[in-house]
PDB file of all heavy atoms in Angstrom:
ATOM      1  N   ALA M   1       0.848  -1.205   0.000  1.00 88.00           N
ATOM      2  CA  ALA M   1       0.000   0.000   0.000  1.00 88.00           C
ATOM      3  C   ALA M   1       0.880   1.251   0.000  1.00 88.00           C
ATOM      4  O   ALA M   1       2.016   1.213   0.466  1.00 88.00           O
ATOM      5  CB  ALA M   1      -0.916  -0.010   1.223  1.00 88.00           C
ATOM      6  N   PRO M   2       0.342   2.371  -0.504  1.00 87.00           N
ATOM      7  CA  PRO M   2      -1.016   2.551  -1.043  1.00 87.00           C
ATOM      8  C   PRO M   2      -1.122   2.293  -2.545  1.00 87.00           C
ATOM      9  O   PRO M   2      -2.209   2.342  -3.094  1.00 87.00           O
ATOM     10  CB  PRO M   2      -1.283   4.023  -0.736  1.00 87.00           C
ATOM     11  CG  PRO M   2       0.060   4.670  -0.889  1.00 87.00           C
ATOM     12  CD  PRO M   2       1.050   3.663  -0.368  1.00 87.00           C
ATOM     13  N   THR M   3       0.005   2.031  -3.207  1.00 90.00           N
ATOM     14  CA  THR M   3      -0.060   1.887  -4.667  1.00 90.00           C
ATOM     15  C   THR M   3      -0.639   0.539  -5.083  1.00 90.00           C
ATOM     16  O   THR M   3      -1.362   0.444  -6.067  1.00 90.00           O
ATOM     17  CB  THR M   3       1.338   2.047  -5.281  1.00 90.00           C
ATOM     18  OG1 THR M   3       2.214   1.052  -4.725  1.00 90.00           O
ATOM     19  CG2 THR M   3       1.911   3.412  -4.985  1.00 90.00           C
ATOM     20  N   GLY M   4      -0.322  -0.519  -4.343  1.00 95.00           N
ATOM     21  CA  GLY M   4      -0.802  -1.838  -4.690  1.00 95.00           C
ATOM     22  C   GLY M   4      -0.092  -2.416  -5.895  1.00 95.00           C
ATOM     23  O   GLY M   4       0.772  -1.780  -6.509  1.00 95.00           O
ATOM     24  N   VAL M   5      -0.436  -3.658  -6.214  1.00 97.00           N
ATOM     25  CA  VAL M   5       0.145  -4.327  -7.374  1.00 97.00           C
ATOM     26  C   VAL M   5      -0.958  -4.912  -8.245  1.00 97.00           C
ATOM     27  O   VAL M   5      -2.029  -5.271  -7.752  1.00 97.00           O
ATOM     28  CB  VAL M   5       1.126  -5.447  -6.965  1.00 97.00           C
ATOM     29  CG1 VAL M   5       2.341  -4.870  -6.268  1.00 97.00           C
ATOM     30  CG2 VAL M   5       0.442  -6.483  -6.078  1.00 97.00           C
ATOM     31  N   THR M   6      -0.692  -4.984  -9.520  1.00 98.00           N
ATOM     32  CA  THR M   6      -1.564  -5.665 -10.480  1.00 98.00           C
ATOM     33  C   THR M   6      -0.692  -6.611 -11.289  1.00 98.00           C
ATOM     34  O   THR M   6       0.531  -6.675 -11.093  1.00 98.00           O
ATOM     35  CB  THR M   6      -2.258  -4.668 -11.425  1.00 98.00           C
ATOM     36  OG1 THR M   6      -1.251  -4.067 -12.272  1.00 98.00           O
ATOM     37  CG2 THR M   6      -2.992  -3.585 -10.658  1.00 98.00           C
ATOM     38  N   CYS M   7      -1.287  -7.329 -12.214  1.00 98.00           N
ATOM     39  CA  CYS M   7      -0.509  -8.227 -13.073  1.00 98.00           C
ATOM     40  C   CYS M   7       0.524  -7.436 -13.879  1.00 98.00           C
ATOM     41  O   CYS M   7       1.628  -7.928 -14.145  1.00 98.00           O
ATOM     42  CB  CYS M   7      -1.429  -8.980 -14.027  1.00 98.00           C
ATOM     43  SG  CYS M   7      -2.838  -9.766 -13.225  1.00 98.00           S
ATOM     44  N   TYR M   8       0.187  -6.195 -14.237  1.00 98.00           N
ATOM     45  CA  TYR M   8       1.104  -5.386 -15.045  1.00 98.00           C
ATOM     46  C   TYR M   8       2.366  -5.021 -14.270  1.00 98.00           C
ATOM     47  O   TYR M   8       3.433  -4.857 -14.867  1.00 98.00           O
ATOM     48  CB  TYR M   8       0.411  -4.104 -15.516  1.00 98.00           C
ATOM     49  CG  TYR M   8       1.288  -3.267 -16.428  1.00 98.00           C
ATOM     50  CD1 TYR M   8       1.408  -3.591 -17.782  1.00 98.00           C
ATOM     51  CD2 TYR M   8       2.012  -2.182 -15.934  1.00 98.00           C
ATOM     52  CE1 TYR M   8       2.231  -2.847 -18.619  1.00 98.00           C
ATOM     53  CE2 TYR M   8       2.824  -1.435 -16.764  1.00 98.00           C
ATOM     54  CZ  TYR M   8       2.937  -1.768 -18.107  1.00 98.00           C
ATOM     55  OH  TYR M   8       3.761  -1.037 -18.930  1.00 98.00           O
ATOM     56  N   THR M   9       2.273  -4.902 -12.956  1.00 97.00           N
ATOM     57  CA  THR M   9       3.421  -4.521 -12.151  1.00 97.00           C
ATOM     58  C   THR M   9       4.626  -5.389 -12.472  1.00 97.00           C
ATOM     59  O   THR M   9       5.749  -4.894 -12.587  1.00 97.00           O
ATOM     60  CB  THR M   9       3.097  -4.626 -10.650  1.00 97.00           C
ATOM     61  OG1 THR M   9       1.909  -3.877 -10.371  1.00 97.00           O
ATOM     62  CG2 THR M   9       4.238  -4.090  -9.808  1.00 97.00           C
ATOM     63  N   CYS M  10       4.410  -6.675 -12.642  1.00 98.00           N
ATOM     64  CA  CYS M  10       5.500  -7.607 -12.945  1.00 98.00           C
ATOM     65  C   CYS M  10       5.613  -7.920 -14.428  1.00 98.00           C
ATOM     66  O   CYS M  10       6.721  -7.980 -14.972  1.00 98.00           O
ATOM     67  CB  CYS M  10       5.308  -8.908 -12.172  1.00 98.00           C
ATOM     68  SG  CYS M  10       5.386  -8.738 -10.380  1.00 98.00           S
ATOM     69  N   HIS M  11       4.492  -8.149 -15.096  1.00 98.00           N
ATOM     70  CA  HIS M  11       4.543  -8.660 -16.474  1.00 98.00           C
ATOM     71  C   HIS M  11       4.899  -7.594 -17.510  1.00 98.00           C
ATOM     72  O   HIS M  11       5.704  -7.842 -18.407  1.00 98.00           O
ATOM     73  CB  HIS M  11       3.198  -9.300 -16.826  1.00 98.00           C
ATOM     74  CG  HIS M  11       3.003 -10.645 -16.225  1.00 98.00           C
ATOM     75  ND1 HIS M  11       3.344 -11.810 -16.879  1.00 98.00           N
ATOM     76  CD2 HIS M  11       2.512 -11.025 -15.011  1.00 98.00           C
ATOM     77  CE1 HIS M  11       3.067 -12.849 -16.111  1.00 98.00           C
ATOM     78  NE2 HIS M  11       2.560 -12.399 -14.966  1.00 98.00           N
ATOM     79  N   ARG M  12       4.257  -6.471 -17.473  1.00 97.00           N
ATOM     80  CA  ARG M  12       4.537  -5.350 -18.379  1.00 97.00           C
ATOM     81  C   ARG M  12       4.568  -5.760 -19.851  1.00 97.00           C
ATOM     82  O   ARG M  12       5.473  -5.422 -20.604  1.00 97.00           O
ATOM     83  CB  ARG M  12       5.853  -4.679 -17.980  1.00 97.00           C
ATOM     84  CG  ARG M  12       5.852  -4.301 -16.498  1.00 97.00           C
ATOM     85  CD  ARG M  12       6.882  -3.319 -16.118  1.00 97.00           C
ATOM     86  NE  ARG M  12       6.899  -3.150 -14.653  1.00 97.00           N
ATOM     87  CZ  ARG M  12       7.564  -2.201 -14.024  1.00 97.00           C
ATOM     88  NH1 ARG M  12       8.265  -1.320 -14.713  1.00 97.00           N
ATOM     89  NH2 ARG M  12       7.535  -2.127 -12.701  1.00 97.00           N
ATOM     90  N   GLY M  13       3.543  -6.519 -20.229  1.00 97.00           N
ATOM     91  CA  GLY M  13       3.406  -6.930 -21.616  1.00 97.00           C
ATOM     92  C   GLY M  13       4.097  -8.224 -21.970  1.00 97.00           C
ATOM     93  O   GLY M  13       4.053  -8.655 -23.130  1.00 97.00           O
ATOM     94  N   ASN M  14       4.724  -8.886 -21.007  1.00 98.00           N
ATOM     95  CA  ASN M  14       5.430 -10.150 -21.252  1.00 98.00           C
ATOM     96  C   ASN M  14       4.644 -11.320 -20.676  1.00 98.00           C
ATOM     97  O   ASN M  14       4.057 -11.214 -19.601  1.00 98.00           O
ATOM     98  CB  ASN M  14       6.816 -10.120 -20.597  1.00 98.00           C
ATOM     99  CG  ASN M  14       7.679  -8.990 -21.122  1.00 98.00           C
ATOM    100  OD1 ASN M  14       7.915  -8.883 -22.315  1.00 98.00           O
ATOM    101  ND2 ASN M  14       8.162  -8.146 -20.225  1.00 98.00           N
ATOM    102  N   ASN M  15       4.662 -12.448 -21.378  1.00 98.00           N
ATOM    103  CA  ASN M  15       4.006 -13.653 -20.861  1.00 98.00           C
ATOM    104  C   ASN M  15       4.568 -14.035 -19.494  1.00 98.00           C
ATOM    105  O   ASN M  15       3.824 -14.373 -18.575  1.00 98.00           O
ATOM    106  CB  ASN M  15       4.202 -14.830 -21.819  1.00 98.00           C
ATOM    107  CG  ASN M  15       3.602 -14.590 -23.192  1.00 98.00           C
ATOM    108  OD1 ASN M  15       4.009 -15.204 -24.164  1.00 98.00           O
ATOM    109  ND2 ASN M  15       2.628 -13.685 -23.308  1.00 98.00           N
ATOM    110  N   VAL M  16       5.878 -14.012 -19.390  1.00 98.00           N
ATOM    111  CA  VAL M  16       6.578 -14.254 -18.126  1.00 98.00           C
ATOM    112  C   VAL M  16       7.299 -12.970 -17.762  1.00 98.00           C
ATOM    113  O   VAL M  16       7.932 -12.352 -18.617  1.00 98.00           O
ATOM    114  CB  VAL M  16       7.581 -15.415 -18.258  1.00 98.00           C
ATOM    115  CG1 VAL M  16       8.371 -15.597 -16.965  1.00 98.00           C
ATOM    116  CG2 VAL M  16       6.862 -16.705 -18.620  1.00 98.00           C
ATOM    117  N   PRO M  17       7.222 -12.522 -16.517  1.00 98.00           N
ATOM    118  CA  PRO M  17       7.944 -11.303 -16.140  1.00 98.00           C
ATOM    119  C   PRO M  17       9.416 -11.371 -16.548  1.00 98.00           C
ATOM    120  O   PRO M  17      10.030 -12.441 -16.524  1.00 98.00           O
ATOM    121  CB  PRO M  17       7.782 -11.261 -14.615  1.00 98.00           C
ATOM    122  CG  PRO M  17       6.505 -11.979 -14.360  1.00 98.00           C
ATOM    123  CD  PRO M  17       6.449 -13.074 -15.378  1.00 98.00           C
ATOM    124  N   GLU M  18       9.957 -10.239 -16.901  1.00 96.00           N
ATOM    125  CA  GLU M  18      11.351 -10.203 -17.368  1.00 96.00           C
ATOM    126  C   GLU M  18      12.323 -10.641 -16.283  1.00 96.00           C
ATOM    127  O   GLU M  18      13.336 -11.279 -16.563  1.00 96.00           O
ATOM    128  CB  GLU M  18      11.699  -8.779 -17.816  1.00 96.00           C
ATOM    129  CG  GLU M  18      13.106  -8.635 -18.363  1.00 96.00           C
ATOM    130  CD  GLU M  18      13.405  -7.236 -18.840  1.00 96.00           C
ATOM    131  OE1 GLU M  18      12.507  -6.367 -18.761  1.00 96.00           O
ATOM    132  OE2 GLU M  18      14.542  -6.997 -19.311  1.00 96.00           O
ATOM    133  N   TYR M  19      12.025 -10.331 -15.026  1.00 96.00           N
ATOM    134  CA  TYR M  19      12.945 -10.616 -13.935  1.00 96.00           C
ATOM    135  C   TYR M  19      12.380 -11.707 -13.026  1.00 96.00           C
ATOM    136  O   TYR M  19      11.569 -11.436 -12.140  1.00 96.00           O
ATOM    137  CB  TYR M  19      13.226  -9.340 -13.135  1.00 96.00           C
ATOM    138  CG  TYR M  19      13.833  -8.251 -13.978  1.00 96.00           C
ATOM    139  CD1 TYR M  19      13.060  -7.170 -14.401  1.00 96.00           C
ATOM    140  CD2 TYR M  19      15.166  -8.314 -14.378  1.00 96.00           C
ATOM    141  CE1 TYR M  19      13.614  -6.171 -15.190  1.00 96.00           C
ATOM    142  CE2 TYR M  19      15.720  -7.316 -15.174  1.00 96.00           C
ATOM    143  CZ  TYR M  19      14.931  -6.247 -15.570  1.00 96.00           C
ATOM    144  OH  TYR M  19      15.481  -5.268 -16.363  1.00 96.00           O
ATOM    145  N   VAL M  20      12.775 -12.931 -13.296  1.00 96.00           N
ATOM    146  CA  VAL M  20      12.422 -14.079 -12.466  1.00 96.00           C
ATOM    147  C   VAL M  20      13.699 -14.886 -12.242  1.00 96.00           C
ATOM    148  O   VAL M  20      14.730 -14.610 -12.858  1.00 96.00           O
ATOM    149  CB  VAL M  20      11.339 -14.957 -13.129  1.00 96.00           C
ATOM    150  CG1 VAL M  20       9.995 -14.244 -13.160  1.00 96.00           C
ATOM    151  CG2 VAL M  20      11.748 -15.355 -14.553  1.00 96.00           C
ATOM    152  N   TRP M  21      13.644 -15.888 -11.386  1.00 95.00           N
ATOM    153  CA  TRP M  21      14.859 -16.667 -11.096  1.00 95.00           C
ATOM    154  C   TRP M  21      14.504 -18.124 -10.830  1.00 95.00           C
ATOM    155  O   TRP M  21      13.369 -18.455 -10.470  1.00 95.00           O
ATOM    156  CB  TRP M  21      15.595 -16.089  -9.882  1.00 95.00           C
ATOM    157  CG  TRP M  21      14.814 -16.149  -8.603  1.00 95.00           C
ATOM    158  CD1 TRP M  21      13.876 -15.255  -8.172  1.00 95.00           C
ATOM    159  CD2 TRP M  21      14.864 -17.183  -7.614  1.00 95.00           C
ATOM    160  NE1 TRP M  21      13.353 -15.652  -6.966  1.00 95.00           N
ATOM    161  CE2 TRP M  21      13.939 -16.820  -6.589  1.00 95.00           C
ATOM    162  CE3 TRP M  21      15.605 -18.348  -7.475  1.00 95.00           C
ATOM    163  CZ2 TRP M  21      13.744 -17.619  -5.462  1.00 95.00           C
ATOM    164  CZ3 TRP M  21      15.411 -19.136  -6.346  1.00 95.00           C
ATOM    165  CH2 TRP M  21      14.480 -18.760  -5.360  1.00 95.00           C
ATOM    166  N   VAL M  22      15.469 -18.980 -11.030  1.00 95.00           N
ATOM    167  CA  VAL M  22      15.359 -20.397 -10.701  1.00 95.00           C
ATOM    168  C   VAL M  22      16.627 -20.817  -9.976  1.00 95.00           C
ATOM    169  O   VAL M  22      17.671 -20.167 -10.087  1.00 95.00           O
ATOM    170  CB  VAL M  22      15.162 -21.274 -11.960  1.00 95.00           C
ATOM    171  CG1 VAL M  22      13.834 -20.980 -12.628  1.00 95.00           C
ATOM    172  CG2 VAL M  22      16.320 -21.067 -12.943  1.00 95.00           C
ATOM    173  N   THR M  23      16.535 -21.895  -9.230  1.00 90.00           N
ATOM    174  CA  THR M  23      17.699 -22.416  -8.521  1.00 90.00           C
ATOM    175  C   THR M  23      18.559 -23.225  -9.487  1.00 90.00           C
ATOM    176  O   THR M  23      18.057 -24.114 -10.174  1.00 90.00           O
ATOM    177  CB  THR M  23      17.270 -23.301  -7.337  1.00 90.00           C
ATOM    178  OG1 THR M  23      16.485 -22.511  -6.435  1.00 90.00           O
ATOM    179  CG2 THR M  23      18.474 -23.862  -6.612  1.00 90.00           C
ATOM    180  N   GLU M  24      19.831 -22.890  -9.549  1.00 83.00           N
ATOM    181  CA  GLU M  24      20.756 -23.586 -10.434  1.00 83.00           C
ATOM    182  C   GLU M  24      21.944 -24.101  -9.640  1.00 83.00           C
ATOM    183  O   GLU M  24      22.238 -23.637  -8.542  1.00 83.00           O
ATOM    184  CB  GLU M  24      21.252 -22.640 -11.535  1.00 83.00           C
ATOM    185  CG  GLU M  24      20.145 -22.053 -12.387  1.00 83.00           C
ATOM    186  CD  GLU M  24      20.696 -21.186 -13.503  1.00 83.00           C
ATOM    187  OE1 GLU M  24      21.609 -21.654 -14.209  1.00 83.00           O
ATOM    188  OE2 GLU M  24      20.234 -20.043 -13.647  1.00 83.00           O
ATOM    189  N   GLU M  25      22.642 -25.080 -10.226  1.00 76.00           N
ATOM    190  CA  GLU M  25      23.855 -25.575  -9.594  1.00 76.00           C
ATOM    191  C   GLU M  25      24.909 -24.475  -9.589  1.00 76.00           C
ATOM    192  O   GLU M  25      24.914 -23.598 -10.452  1.00 76.00           O
ATOM    193  CB  GLU M  25      24.391 -26.797 -10.352  1.00 76.00           C
ATOM    194  CG  GLU M  25      23.492 -28.021 -10.265  1.00 76.00           C
ATOM    195  CD  GLU M  25      24.100 -29.214 -10.965  1.00 76.00           C
ATOM    196  OE1 GLU M  25      25.256 -29.087 -11.422  1.00 76.00           O
ATOM    197  OE2 GLU M  25      23.438 -30.262 -11.046  1.00 76.00           O
ATOM    198  N   ALA M  26      25.789 -24.539  -8.607  1.00 70.00           N
ATOM    199  CA  ALA M  26      26.848 -23.538  -8.520  1.00 70.00           C
ATOM    200  C   ALA M  26      27.683 -23.559  -9.799  1.00 70.00           C
ATOM    201  O   ALA M  26      28.054 -24.623 -10.293  1.00 70.00           O
ATOM    202  CB  ALA M  26      27.734 -23.818  -7.313  1.00 70.00           C
TER     203      ALA M  26
END
């Protein structure tokens, strides 16, 4: 709050948000 979030906050026109992460081996 007070701005809140919507789907656009993360996606911004992308199927998958540009900034995501996965666990990888060192």
